[in-house]
Amino acid sequence: MAEDRIPGFATLAVHAGAQPDPTTGARVTPIYQTSSFVFEDVDHAAALFGLQAFGNIYTRIGNPTNAVLEERVAALEGGTAALSVASGHAAQLLVFHTLLTSGDEFVASKKLYGGSINQFGNAFKSFGWNVVWADPDDISSFERAITPKTKAIFIESIANPGGIITDIAAIAAVAKRANVPLIVDNTLATPYLCRPFEHGADIVVHSLTKFLGGHGNSIGGIIVDGGRFNWTREGRYPKLSAPLAEYGGIVLAETFGNFAFAIACRVLGLRDLGPALAPQNAFLILTGIETLPLRMQRHSENARAVAEFLVDHPAVSWVSYAGLPGDRYYNLAKRYVPKGAGAVLTFGLAGGYEAGIKLVSSVKLFSHLANIGDTRSLIIHPASTTHRQLSDAQKVQAGAGPDVVRLSIGIEDKEDIIADLQQALG
Ligand SMILES: Cc1ncc(COP(=O)(O)O)c(C=O)c1O
């Protein structure tokens, strides 16, 4: 690449973070399938453990295959650094572990992936981390939810499963006024469709399991540091702003500057809680990312064609896809996801719960399973599966009422996808 050119997104998707292997010349990033790494000598070991030198110690804390993935996703998101972990949920766990202590609060959109609603409302409660829910369709509800104990705000850029486009910049303004970081789960959009840091986000998280990996073959998650938040103000984030005895008294925010958050998640959260990403999975996800721009274009084109088909179908009472003109989120979609509204859409069946069960049992090309972001077209009836553990009111709030069906449209021929739905809807 010419020195003076800033590489485009598709080039970064193929190359960012990777070099031919210096030892063997291997062009594709190898899977460094090793638990640990030999030190050069005692001084080198001491420098690594004291955070005075960067390098590999033990795969729970870092691995060279994972490091390429981290650099690549950081480049695609426009962040300063990233940390890959075992799942999307592990990414969320480490973010909040770094930000919160027992008794703290955070504000989260109530229209999130059902698993995140569970994680925040149940598991996090047992750590003394208290979630306060707000409505992404009413920005003032975020403002009202802020208290002196609030340490962060969490939203999804495109919410799963409702297809809601969140006004990231408006919520970033609330976070800024409250001096707390805005965390955006960018799983459904991916950085190809939306780059939350450009709209004021401070931290981005992903389930790599979905569109970044893209082939339904690996579970993974990642945390991307935006590098702009001031962690030292008022000492509200002690893991970043207070001296760490275990690391010779260094202050992470001072030593690591604009990538201190990613470092804190690694050297405290990942080290102590342990959800490391297997290098084999990092390899598969890296390979997937190389085609991210091509896949996201095709996913979005196919999903729009399916949404247009469903709108006209007599068995369908409503369709929620922000890429459809006239959709409630169409204007926000033009602003936040101008290249396309992604693969995921929901629709309502006039026949309600029973019709949902019948549809998922009748499709042939679609796979009935609990995932999104595969090359294959996927279908689920959230009320009977992913969201069944929520109360009826929470289901409706999360966009997963009894009549709702969620599709994750794959990259097959759109005519085949539509024909399958046509025969299954009867
Ligand atoms: C938007 C979103 N965030 C986070 C997650 C959790 O990711 P993982 O299953 O990799 O833990 C999911 C999983 O479906 C998701 O859809």
Side-chain angles (χ1 to χ4, degrees), residues 105 107 132 141-150 152-153 174-175 178 180:
E105 292 177 3
V107 179
V132 182
S141 69
F142 282 82
E143 199 100 54
R144 289 195 301 276
I146 304 278
T147 75
K149 291 184 184 165
T150 306
I153 298 180
V174 175
V180 299

Side-chain angles (χ1 to χ4, degrees), residues 16-76:
Q19 306 286 342
D21 183 61
T23 313
T24 62
R27 187 63 190 87
V28 173
T29 299
I31 304 169
Y32 288 93
Q33 191 65 33
T34 180
S35 53
S36 34
F37 302 83
V38 176
F39 306 119
E40 288 162 22
D41 53 36
V42 172
D43 290 341
H44 177 228
L48 289 173
F49 278 103
L51 300 183
Q52 283 118 16
F54 288 109
N56 301 303
I57 301 176
Y58 187 62
T59 286
R60 169 154 48 74
I61 302 165
N63 176 283
T65 312
N66 301 18
V68 175
L69 173 64
E70 288 157 0
E71 210 175 307
R72 187 160 307 169
V73 177
L76 294 176

